[in-house]
Amino acid sequence: MAIGAGVFETVLIVTSGRAAGGSVIGVTVRAVVFIAAVLVVVRMYSGQRWARWVLTGALGLLGTLSLTADPVLWLAEGNSINEAVRNSGAVDLLFGGSRVVHVAAVLCGCVLMFVPSANAYFRTRPPRPAHGPTPVGDRL
């Protein structure tokens, strides 16, 4: 869900015409991050224990900081959420809503990767390649 929200935000800003100069670089960086996230999620699903730590550190910590730093600094400057909402258009509200979903999905995902059932999954599931045939015993 977090990756989907990030893609939505990127498409929204680019199609709305609000992307600043250098948007090609920004979109490229975001695309690389989204592709890397998908690849790491696939590795995590296949039982690679390192993948949840990469997701937690790179996207959970650094990603959340990159998503929240500007809004927190904006609020620290004395700006008002109520005023911002009153002065917002549809694109602003869609972007803000998507950003809230994005951050919530990242934080929930980080927590859920370490609940007891997830820990049991990584303890009992032997790591296997993310690609290739599924062992017969895993098909049931």
Side-chain angles (χ1 to χ4, degrees):
M1 182 174 274
I3 296 169
V7 170
F8 176 77
E9 291 165 16
T10 303
V11 170
L12 182 66
I13 293 302
V14 170
T15 59
S16 72
R18 294 186 180 193
S23 62
V24 171
I25 294 171
V27 169
T28 302
V29 168
R30 288 178 70 93
V32 168
V33 169
F34 299 148
I35 291 166
V38 168
L39 293 174
V40 175
V41 166
V42 168
R43 292 296 189 167
M44 185 182 72
Y45 179 73
S46 70
Q48 300 293 319
R49 293 170 182 93
W50 60 266
R52 72 176 169 166
W53 290 104
V54 168
L55 288 170
T56 301
L59 297 178
L61 180 63
L62 298 177
T64 299
L65 287 174
S66 74
L67 294 172
T68 58
D70 285 340
V72 168
L73 291 173
W74 182 82
L75 287 170
E77 292 171 354
N79 293 297
S80 164
I81 293 175
N82 290 334
E83 185 176 328
V85 170
R86 272 194 304 273
N87 297 328
S88 294
V91 171
D92 300 314
L93 295 173
L94 283 170
F95 185 87
S98 179
R99 184 56 55 98
V100 169
V101 169
H102 193 160
V103 172
V106 168
L107 296 177
C108 288
C110 286
V111 169
L112 292 174
M113 285 189 294
F114 292 93
V115 297
S117 60
N119 292 333
Y121 174 83
F122 285 103
R123 271 195 310 273
T124 61
R125 187 171 181 98
R128 66 172 194 233
H131 304 288
T134 302
V136 175
D138 285 354
R139 291 186 188 157
L140 299 175

